[in-house]
Amino acid sequence: MTSTRTLSVQCLLPHRALLSHTSLISYQSASRTSFKNHQSFSPFQSSLRRPQPTRTMATSSTNADFPPAEVRQILHEVTTLLKERGETVSVAETAAGGLISSSLLSTPGASQIYKGGLTLYTLPSRIAYAGWSQETIANYKGPTTDIVSGLAKHVRKDLESTYTIAESGTAGPTGGNTPNRKPGYVALAVDSDRGTFTKELNTELGPDRVANMLRFAVEALKLLREVMQGDAKL
């Protein structure tokens, strides 16, 4: 009897030990699972996994913004004529501020027709690049057809283009008392083998500086078209 009881106790002990070991494993596994679950729902982890806002890169404006709408039709006519004839143009502009040159350069294949240009806005720039002297500056009384004629001849000689457009005006908003100093006045010239053609006008746009600059560019290109088509008179 004694040996039988002992055997029963001894047989039960490994079973209890196994249960204890199994319980320990289950506890450890549950603890790890709980820890992992705690980690996965931590505020720090949650903030990292939140969807980030989509960043949209700014896109540049389309080329429909330039050249300005006011310039496009006359620009197309002039550049088409130049290409068809195999002729070239250069530019000397002041108050238009580079609009004539930049409009010509916006045309595909501009290198075939455009020889170069100068923005001669200040009097010192005209000494440096347009053949002016201190005497010229001393006698300067604002934009005139004589002024732009001289600019056109000088630049055409240097750049050897078929035509040279020259422009000088008063864009505003301020001005003076004489007609050529009032906002909107512009003097234009186109020099060519047939002579130097000039034109002067007032846009009647008042002190609107940007509007006047655009109109100066348009009128300069119109004069070039008239010269090319034989409609301009000396």
Side-chain angles (χ1 to χ4, degrees):
M1 293 293 292
T2 304
S3 60
T4 302
R5 289 176 183 171
T6 303
L7 179 60
S8 298
V9 172
Q10 288 175 346
C11 289
L12 289 172
L13 285 175
H15 179 66
R16 290 177 180 175
L18 179 61
L19 288 174
S20 299
H21 181 67
T22 303
S23 299
L24 178 61
I25 292 173
S26 299
Y27 173 77
Q28 291 175 340
S29 177
S31 298
R32 284 195 293 268
T33 302
S34 176
F35 178 71
K36 288 180 180 178
N37 290 339
H38 177 71
Q39 280 188 318
S40 64
F41 289 104
S42 68
F44 177 71
Q45 292 285 343
S46 179
S47 65
L48 289 179
R49 295 180 183 180
R50 288 174 186 164
Q52 298 298 314
T54 303
R55 294 182 180 179
T56 304
M57 294 182 66
T59 56
S60 60
S61 59
T62 64
N63 57 9
D65 297 330
F66 194 88
E70 298 91 332
V71 181
R72 290 174 201 164
Q73 182 59 42
I74 183 61
L75 177 67
H76 174 72
E77 293 178 24
V78 165
T79 54
T80 299
L81 283 172
L82 288 169
K83 290 176 182 178
E84 289 176 350
R85 298 182 179 192
E87 295 176 331
T88 59
V89 64
S90 57
V91 181
E93 55 193 313
T94 71
L99 278 171
I100 303 171
S101 281
S102 58
S103 295
L104 288 166
L105 284 171
S106 71
T107 305
S111 58
Q112 302 171 31
I113 60 172
Y114 181 77
K115 293 296 290 284
L118 299 168
T119 302
L120 302 167
Y121 188 70
T122 64
L123 298 182
S125 69
R126 299 176 196 182
I127 291 177
Y129 302 110
W132 281 31
S133 64
Q134 289 295 339
E135 181 181 357
T136 310
I137 291 179
N139 295 324
Y140 180 71
K141 292 180 174 58
T144 64
T145 53
D146 287 340
I147 292 293
V148 290
S149 293
L151 293 176
K153 291 175 183 177
H154 183 88
V155 173
R156 180 168 172 265
K157 179 182 177 182
D158 285 348
L159 295 181
E160 299 180 343
S161 55
T162 311
Y163 309 97
T164 293
I165 303 170
E167 168 275 328
S168 187
T170 304
T174 60
N177 297 322
T178 59
N180 67 332
R181 291 289 199 176
K182 291 182 179 179
Y185 172 86
V186 64
L188 304 166
V190 172
D191 189 54
S192 69
D193 286 340
R194 294 189 290 116
T196 306
F197 299 83
T198 62
K199 181 179 182 179
E200 60 182 341
L201 59 94
N202 193 299
T203 65
E204 305 299 335
L205 294 172
D208 190 330
R209 185 176 182 84
V210 173
N212 280 322
M213 291 172 68
L214 285 169
R215 182 65 66 81
F216 294 170
V218 169
E219 294 297 333
L221 292 170
K222 284 183 177 179
L223 179 58
L224 175 60
R225 180 186 61 186
E226 292 172 9
V227 172
M228 295 178 71
Q229 292 179 335
D231 297 330
K233 296 181 180 180
L234 291 170

